Amino acid sequence: MIFRHIFLAVSLINILHDFRVSSCDDPCADEPVFTPSRLVVKFGDSASARCSVCQHCHSETHGLETSLGVRTINGTTAFWRIDTMTEWDTSAMCYYNIEETGCQCFSTLPVTVYQPPHSVSISFVNHTGPMREDHQYTLQCTVQDVAPVENLTVTFYKGQTALYPQQSKNNTKQKTPMTEIFTFNITPKKEDDGVQYWCEAKLELGPEGPQPPPVVASQTVTATVLYKPQRNDSSHPDPIIITEGSPLQLNCTAVGNPSPSYTWLLPSDGLSTTNSSVLTISSIRTADKGRYTCSVRNAVDALTVTFNVDVRANHIGYIIFGVIAAVALVAIIVAFLSARYYKHNKMGKYNLKDVFRFHTQHSPLPSAE
């Protein structure tokens, strides 16, 4: 019975490592040794261990004390078998008595009984629906019914990128399953719109535990991030110089969530009928010059884009008319001079009467005799 009391007292200390003592002041030179030195077993599973009570002792009083399972002794080796682990806090004690001194040597086998998380879920704290850019939100990972909670590590993920691993800060040393909550703050950007967040719970039980460690992942939550209109390309000439009669196209396309709407204010202080991000004038006039204002709005904020348009008069028509007139004038002058030249050099050698006169007959030359 004394051994039972000693065993129960040691179990209440929640020993996490090998614990070998002597009931006397001097330590044991030949202490009991458990194999394995630490037992890790899932709740409801089977497990076994053995104890080499001593190597060189000749004690007739030795044994193994446990609170459950089957114990067998074979010489100085004790065996412990558990068909179904039904206790969360248990251990085993192997001992022998030194009859010459009345001392007792014993070792305790630490037993870790674990249970992987029953479920893991992720959510936002005090928030539902879309988020706003540059605002802080808190992710919450809830791990239900896990033991021992002190061996639990949770990692938050954004897509496939690990954000931050957190170990449980629970110091209660409770052996039975618990629900643990972890939190992580995020400040989303527009690039995070559509990103999936999730968390993963891992029970790390050391080299004696299952390998790889039990892991349970949560579902994913998709982030919808609302952000104000932003232009990808905000550069344009100022002013925009264009020639009268040319087509004009002004573009104030912006991105935002929700998608923005567009309103155009023309130089004449009139609103354009188009609600497109692009304003097109097929043939601009000098009267169209001035400031064009594009207002871009969504539910988050507004953006204003201005275009200063300077329309220059088109002198090409006048130039073409002048060229044509000059060419025509030159042609007239050339024709006039050519006519004068022809009249002076050609027609001046003949009389008009000679034109219609018949040819005169020539006298025959005298023939040689």
Side-chain angles (χ1 to χ4, degrees):
M1 184 62 67
I2 185 173
F3 306 125
R4 171 74 62 178
H5 290 303
I6 295 174
F7 167 72
L8 293 176
V10 173
S11 298
L12 292 175
I13 302 175
N14 291 326
I15 302 170
L16 298 179
H17 301 286
D18 285 350
F19 186 58
R20 301 181 178 94
V21 298
S22 169
S23 59
C24 300
D25 294 335
D26 296 331
C28 295
D30 190 7
E31 56 190 16
V33 177
F34 273 102
T35 303
S37 60
R38 175 172 171 257
L39 185 62
V40 179
V41 56
K42 183 179 178 181
F43 187 82
D45 283 2
S46 61
S48 62
R50 64 183 176 87
C51 175
S52 177
V53 178
C54 59
Q55 297 292 326
H56 307 290
C57 67
H58 302 286
S59 173
E60 295 181 357
T61 307
H62 59 273
L64 179 67
E65 290 291 332
T66 63
S67 60
L68 79 164
V70 178
R71 294 161 289 171
T72 57
I73 305 294
N74 185 2
T76 58
T77 302
F79 298 91
W80 181 32
R81 187 183 80 252
I82 309 136
D83 294 328
T84 303
M85 178 59 74
T86 57
E87 293 186 4
W88 292 102
D89 190 4
T90 187
S91 61
M93 187 184 73
C94 186
Y95 67 92
Y96 71 91
N97 291 334
I98 304 175
E99 297 175 356
E100 294 82 358
T101 63
C103 297
Q104 185 182 73
C105 290
F106 61 89
S107 295
T108 301
L109 173 66
V111 179
T112 299
V113 182
Y114 74 91
Q115 176 175 289
H118 180 264
S119 65
V120 178
S121 61
I122 190 170
S123 61
F124 286 98
V125 177
N126 299 326
H127 178 79
T128 58
M131 299 179 288
R132 286 180 178 262
E133 185 181 27
D134 294 329
H135 285 61
Q136 181 173 285
Y137 300 88
T138 301
L139 285 169
Q140 176 176 290
C141 186
T142 303
V143 184
Q144 293 185 333
D145 297 333
V146 59
V149 71
E150 63 190 47
N151 294 88
L152 182 64
T153 299
V154 162
T155 303
F156 288 87
Y157 286 85
K158 183 173 76 172
Q160 296 303 314
T161 303
L163 298 177
Y164 183 67
Q166 301 181 40
Q167 287 186 330
S168 174
K169 298 179 181 179
N170 194 312
N171 297 319
T172 62
K173 303 298 182 181
Q174 181 173 326
K175 303 298 182 180
T176 56
M178 295 180 60
T179 294
E180 187 81 341
I181 295 176
F182 298 79
T183 58
F184 183 75
N185 293 329
I186 62 170
T187 304
K189 300 294 183 182
K190 69 172 184 176
E191 293 80 11
D192 297 325
D193 185 38
V195 164
Q196 291 185 326
Y197 291 95
W198 55 287
C199 62
E200 179 183 81
K202 181 186 295 185
L203 202 56
E204 298 181 300
L205 300 165
E208 299 87 357
Q211 301 298 328
V215 173
V216 180
S218 73
Q219 83 284 10
T220 60
V221 290
T222 302
T224 300
V225 182
L226 303 181
Y227 56 94
K228 63 184 180 181
Q230 300 174 16
R231 297 189 67 207
N232 292 329
D233 183 13
S234 58
S235 62
H236 58 266
D238 189 29
I240 298 172
I241 300 175
I242 190 170
T243 304
E244 181 184 15
S246 300
L248 174 67
Q249 188 175 80
L250 303 177
N251 190 337
C252 70
T253 301
V255 293
N257 191 19
S259 297
S261 61
Y262 301 89
T263 304
W264 287 91
L265 181 63
L266 305 183
S268 59
D269 292 336
L271 293 176
S272 172
T273 56
T274 181
N275 57 1
S276 171
S277 62
V278 179
L279 176 67
T280 301
I281 300 176
S282 58
S283 179
I284 197 165
R285 305 166 301 169
T286 55
D288 295 328
K289 75 175 185 177
R291 175 174 293 182
Y292 291 76
T293 303
C294 176
S295 296
V296 189
R297 297 178 179 275
N298 68 3
V300 180
D301 206 343
L303 172 69
T304 299
V305 184
T306 59
F307 302 87
N308 293 310
V309 178
D310 185 9
V311 182
R312 302 292 173 86
N314 189 349
H315 299 289
I316 294 178
Y318 298 104
I319 294 173
I320 294 175
F321 176 78
V323 170
I324 293 175
V327 170
L329 180 60
V330 170
I332 292 172
I333 293 173
V334 170
F336 176 76
L337 293 177
S338 297
R340 290 288 302 271
Y341 177 81
Y342 179 80
K343 181 178 180 182
H344 178 74
N345 293 284
K346 298 295 183 179
M347 295 183 64
K349 292 183 178 182
Y350 300 94
N351 193 311
L352 289 176
K353 295 180 180 180
D354 294 333
V355 176
F356 301 100
R357 185 178 297 166
F358 292 100
H359 295 290
T360 57
Q361 296 183 353
H362 297 280
S363 298
L365 294 175
S367 60
E369 293 289 338

